Amino acid sequence: MNSEATLKGLQRAPHRSLFNALGWTEEEMRKPVIGVVCSQSEIVPGHINLDKICDAVKQGIAEAGGMPVMVPAIAVCDGIAMGHTGMKYSLVTRDLIADSTECLARAHAFDGMVMIPNCDKNVPGLLMAAARVNIPTIFVSGGPMLAGHIDGRKRSLSSIFEAVGEVTAGRMTEDKLKEYEEKVCPSCGSCSGMYTANSMNCLTEAIGMGLRGNGTIPAVYSARIRLAKHAGNKIMELVEKNIRPRDIMTKDAFLNALAVDMALGCSTNTMLHLPAIALEAGVNIDLDIANEVSEKTPNLCHLAPAGPTYMEDLEVAGGVYAVMKELCKRNILKTDLITASGLTVEENLKSAFNANEEVIRPIDNPYLEKGGIAVLKGNLAPQYGVVKAAAVVPEMMVHEGPARVFDCEEDAISAILGGRILAGDVVVIRYVGPKGGPGMPEMLSPTSAIAGMGLGASVALITDGRFSGASRGASIGHVSPEAADGGPIGLIKEGDIISIDIPAHKLEVKLSDAELEARRKDWKPYVPEVPKGYLQRYRAMVSSASDGAVLNVAE
C-alpha cells in the first residue's frame, strides 16, 4: 500500500478534502508522501536539536520532488531517568516507538520514511519499525554531543557519575563535582562516549540504513545539517528504486553490524537490540554467534568509557567507514550488500581511510585481538550473560570472589557508597530483568559508584538487568534466565563463590547441581510492585533478554 490509497480516485475525494484542510495543493497531492519521523523534544539533550534536522530533511525531500510530513516519536533520556523509577520506563519505550511508528506509517499510507532518532531506545525502536513496515526508509540521527573539558582533559557523562563515588570516598571535593556538573555535557547531542545511543547510531551506518557520518558527525556541526538534506534527497531515490529495509537488513548485514560492534567496543545493549531488530526483519540472530564474530574481529577502538577518545575524535579519524575499511583488510565484512545510499558497502568504502591510528587502531595492531563484547555462559547464566570486554581492566578478566547479594539497585548502591563492599567481592543485583524490573533498568549508578570508590580493578558486578554504555569494569549483565523467571541468579546466597572467566566465556557459581536443585525447591520469587499501567502489561508480555527482550505475541 502507498499514498494512492488515500489520494487517488473518485472514492478518495473525502480523503483529499482532509488534505485540503492541511493546506496541501493539488500539485503536492501528486507527489510521493514521505513520513519524517522526528523524535524532537525539550527534555532529552540528544533530541532538542532535532527540529533543525527535521527542517533540513524536509527541505531535501522537497528539493527531490517529494512531499514531506513530520510525525512524532517519543524518547526517554536514560541519564535523566537513571537511578530511580524512571529507568523502568526506558527499554520499554523501544516497543512503544516501534508500534506507534507502524501505526502512523500504515494508517497514513506513506510512500517512504526518514527516521530522525538519536538516543538509546529511540534508534532500535525506529529500526524495528522500519523492518516491520518495510517501505523505503533512511535514517539520520541528531548526532553526538561534544566532549567536556576539565583540567585539560576530555570528559563525559560517565565521568560525573563516577565523580559522585569519588566525593563519597573523599577523593574529590564537592566544588570540583560542581565543575563537572557544569562542564561534562557542553552541547546538545547524544552523550559523547561510545554509549548506547552512539553505538546504535554507528551500527545504523554499519548495517546500511544510514549515510556516512550518521553515527559520528557532532550534533552542533553544520555537516549534520548537510547530512540531513542528503538523507532527504536520498529517500526519493530509494522510493524510485523501491529499495526497502528488508533488502538492506539481511543476515549478512547483521553479521557486518556485529563485526563493527566488536571493532568499536559498543555498548552491551546492542546485544538486546540487534536480535530484536533482526526478528522484525525476518532474520534469526542467535547470540551464540557473537563470540564467533568476536573471535575473528579485533577491537580497534577504545572510546570513552573504555579509553580517552570520544565520538568527535572518531569522526575526525574517519568514522565508522574507516573502521569498516580496516575490517575489510581481513575480509571480515560482506561488501556486496546494498545500502540506503543506493550503493553497495564496497562502493561506500572506496574513499574511506584511517586518519588517526590511535583512535582507530590498524587491524594488525589492535587494542584487543578479540572483539569488544563477550557472551558468557555457565551454571549461573544457562542462556547467556554479556560483558563489554573492551572496558574491563586486565586483572579482572578472570576473577573469583564472594557474592554480595541485593534484590534491588538502591540497596546495592547504599552498600557500595557505605564502604561495605570490599576488594574481591562480586556484587549481585537481581530481580531487575525484563520481567523482574520490569523493564530491565540500567545499572550505571552502581558501576559508577564502584569505579568512583576506587574498586573498579577489584570488584565485579553481575545482574539480570543491563548496563549503560557508560558503564565500565567487570560488569556482566543480561544474566538469563532472570531471577523472576526462576533463573539460577535468584538462587545465589551471600558468600557463594562466583567465578568469572571472560576469555573462556564462563560465568559460574561454585555450587553443585544438587545444591542448586535443593535451593530451587525452597525458592519463592520476589516480584517488585510496579504502578498500574504499561509496566504491568510489559511484564506480562516480555521475553527473556536472551531473545532480545521482545514482546511475545499470542499465536
Side-chain angles (χ1 to χ4, degrees), residues 473-554:
S475 304
I476 301 165
H478 309 193
V479 172
S480 305
E482 62 177 294
D485 252 353
I489 191 172
L491 307 178
I492 303 303
K493 294 181 179 179
E494 189 83 3
D496 287 345
I497 300 301
I498 306 294
S499 174
I500 299 165
D501 190 333
I502 294 172
H505 305 140
K506 293 287 187 182
L507 177 61
E508 297 183 328
V509 56
K510 296 292 188 177
L511 296 173
S512 67
D513 292 345
E515 174 61 21
L516 286 170
E517 189 56 37
R519 291 187 185 185
R520 185 176 301 282
K521 291 177 180 177
D522 297 328
W523 172 76
K524 294 180 181 179
Y526 164 70
V527 182
E529 292 186 10
V530 295
K532 184 178 181 181
Y534 183 57
L535 288 182
Q536 289 186 352
R537 297 198 301 275
Y538 184 89
R539 172 180 276 167
M541 296 174 68
V542 71
S543 72
S544 170
S546 62
D547 297 322
V550 297
L551 297 186
N552 291 312
V553 179

Side-chain angles (χ1 to χ4, degrees), residues 146-164:
L146 295 175
H149 291 261
I150 299 175
D151 299 330
R153 296 179 62 189
K154 290 181 178 179
R155 297 290 188 182
S156 63
L157 184 67
S158 57
S159 307
I160 190 167
F161 270 92
E162 294 180 10
V164 171

Side-chain angles (χ1 to χ4, degrees), residues 150 167 172-182:
I150 299 175
V167 171
M172 180 185 289
T173 66
E174 290 192 27
D175 285 343
K176 195 66 176 179
L177 180 64
K178 179 66 173 175
E179 183 182 359
Y180 272 61
E181 280 186 47
E182 294 172 350

Side-chain angles (χ1 to χ4, degrees), residues 51-61 225-226 228-229 232:
D51 54 342
K52 296 177 177 60
I53 303 295
C54 183
D55 288 344
V57 166
K58 290 167 68 177
Q59 183 178 337
I61 292 169
I225 300 297
R226 296 197 297 273
K229 291 177 181 177

